[in-house]
Amino acid sequence: MKIDHVSEDRALEERTKLLFDEGVSSLDPQTRSKLTQARYRALEELEASAPAGWRPRWIPACVLAVGVLAVVMLWRGQPAVSPETPAFDVAALSDLEIILGDGDLGMLQELEFYAWLDEQAEIVPTESAEGGVG
Amino acid sequence: MTLAAFVQATCLPKEERTLESEIEIDAFLREVEKRAYRIAVASIRDADEAFDIVQDAMISLIRKYSGRPAKEWRPLFYRILKNRIRDWQRHGVVKGRVLSFFGGQEGETYDPVAQAPGPSTSNPDETVARGEAMAALEKALAEVPRRQREAFMLRNFEGLSVSETAIAMSCSEGSVKTHYFRAVHRLRESLGEHF
């Protein structure tokens, strides 16, 4: 019984679809002509609305795209530099200046003295603190 | 989309873009105009008003949605068409009430045979039989509740998918299935199993 209804429904769908399609394909020339004219009138709307509707929306997108492109091209033209690299290079350059410079070489000769002085500066407060407790 | 393709797509000369869009939307409207007209005629049973409704739907699609992807146009167009038909029907109900209040009559009586498709064959009997069958179908459709009729026309006549019909009808896919099932059931009852 249910199968009968399903097949009846399917037959009804096919029959009505066929009838509708025939109705569409057999429209008389006058009706077709009027529909074509209606379509042309609608398309005139597209032409009329295009300058106002499109230009403001797409120009910023174009400007943005060109800007991004320029930034990418400039960035790719530079050598790759990591954030840590400049600090390392500056330190190396300052050391090089000291070594190559013709200034006070006596300071370099007394380097051991300065290292000893630095150690003493770290030791002295500890000793004084121990002395304070004792 | 790559950046180059994006720039190419967005930075085309305006005239070129407009022409491209015009060709695309013209092809779409050419494809749907006759079917939309038949749907409008079957819904409101007035050939002249059906022209105006189809033209309004075309203009509205272009104004509001011509910038949207072409694959979205079909359900959007039928949503507009459905809304125009519904507005016309509401307006017709109000107009009919006003005219009946003043004792007048509303326009000409609808003649289904006169509105039936024109002759496509040389056999007059066949033409008359087809015209009568179409008139019977339109009459039966007119008696089906509006939402069910919309679901039936969009799904069966236009071949829209369930999801596209849901967009056109502004409802869920489940509702589309329910409306469609009930429409088929009603039409089967009113047209008879020999239709």
Side-chain angles (χ1 to χ4, degrees):
Chain A
M1 193 71 180
K2 192 178 176 183
I3 294 168
D4 287 347
H5 277 305
V6 171
S7 61
E8 280 175 17
D9 289 352
R10 188 59 54 84
L12 179 91
E13 287 169 344
E14 286 173 4
R15 177 83 177 99
T16 52
K17 174 81 166 67
L18 187 68
L19 200 58
F20 181 80
D21 288 345
E22 282 177 357
V24 170
S25 60
S26 64
L27 281 173
D28 59 274
Q30 191 189 353
T31 305
R32 286 168 185 266
S33 171
K34 282 174 80 174
L35 284 168
T36 303
Q37 286 169 22
R39 187 174 74 246
Y40 287 160
R41 276 195 289 274
L43 287 169
E44 282 171 12
E45 191 70 26
L46 180 68
E47 288 168 9
S49 65
W54 291 39
R55 195 175 287 175
R57 205 178 65 178
W58 288 107
I59 280 182
C62 287
V63 169
L64 178 70
V66 169
V68 168
L69 194 64
V71 168
V72 168
M73 286 172 74
L74 285 170
W75 179 71
R76 293 194 66 158
Q78 297 290 327
V81 177
S82 67
E84 291 81 13
T85 312
F88 176 77
D89 287 348
V90 168
L93 276 172
S94 58
D95 289 348
L96 203 65
E97 275 176 14
I98 292 166
I99 293 163
L100 296 179
D102 55 355
D104 190 9
L105 288 174
M107 191 189 78
L108 289 173
Q109 289 168 357
E110 294 173 351
L111 203 60
E112 285 182 13
F113 168 74
Y114 286 117
W116 172 83
L117 196 64
D118 193 38
E119 282 172 14
Q120 294 307 305
E122 287 173 6
I123 292 166
V124 170
T126 314
E127 284 176 348
S128 63
E130 283 171 1
V133 172
Chain B
M1 179 189 271
T2 63
L3 187 64
F6 175 78
V7 171
Q8 194 181 6
T10 54
C11 296
L12 276 174
K14 180 172 69 66
E15 293 78 11
E16 206 173 319
R17 284 199 316 262
T18 309
L19 185 64
E20 212 171 81
S21 304
E22 193 173 327
I23 289 167
E24 202 172 8
I25 207 157
D26 179 50
F28 169 74
L29 293 177
R30 191 189 294 266
E31 187 189 328
V32 296
E33 65 190 9
K34 296 180 197 71
R35 308 183 74 79
Y37 171 73
R38 290 301 316 172
I39 283 182
V41 168
S43 301
I44 65 171
R45 315 189 84 196
D46 185 319
D48 291 333
E49 291 289 342
F51 272 116
D52 292 342
I53 285 173
V54 171
Q55 183 172 297
D56 279 355
M58 287 175 172
I59 290 172
S60 191
L61 179 85
I62 286 173
R63 278 185 185 161
K64 293 180 183 171
Y65 303 114
S66 57
R68 299 282 285 267
K71 65 179 180 183
E72 293 181 14
W73 287 344
R74 186 176 293 272
L76 290 170
F77 175 76
Y78 282 108
R79 183 198 283 184
I80 297 166
L81 186 74
K82 176 212 71 172
N83 288 338
R84 291 287 182 280
I85 289 169
R86 191 192 55 200
D87 291 346
W88 187 91
Q89 286 166 335
R90 282 177 183 165
H91 175 72
V93 168
V94 174
K95 192 178 165 188
R97 281 179 190 154
V98 172
L99 284 170
S100 64
F101 180 79
F102 288 107
Q105 286 189 346
E106 189 186 352
E108 296 173 3
T109 316
Y110 178 78
D111 180 0
V113 176
Q115 300 286 1
S120 61
T121 64
S122 56
N123 186 344
D125 291 341
E126 200 178 315
T127 306
V128 170
R130 190 186 297 117
E132 286 174 353
M134 190 67 198
L137 174 60
E138 286 181 0
K139 187 172 180 293
L141 279 170
E143 290 165 2
V144 172
R146 182 175 57 84
R147 300 290 280 170
Q148 293 177 23
R149 182 172 60 242
E150 287 169 4
F152 184 80
M153 285 179 160
L154 293 172
R155 290 278 292 127
N156 195 38
F157 292 170
E158 282 310 306
L160 262 63
S161 67
V162 174
S163 59
E164 285 176 329
T165 309
I167 293 169
M169 291 180 65
S170 310
C171 67
S172 69
E173 294 185 13
S175 297
V176 169
K177 289 175 186 170
T178 307
H179 287 315
Y180 183 78
F181 174 78
R182 288 179 181 164
V184 171
H185 186 72
R186 268 179 178 264
L187 286 170
R188 184 158 45 81
E189 281 182 346
S190 59
L191 290 167
E193 61 188 28
H194 300 296
F195 179 77

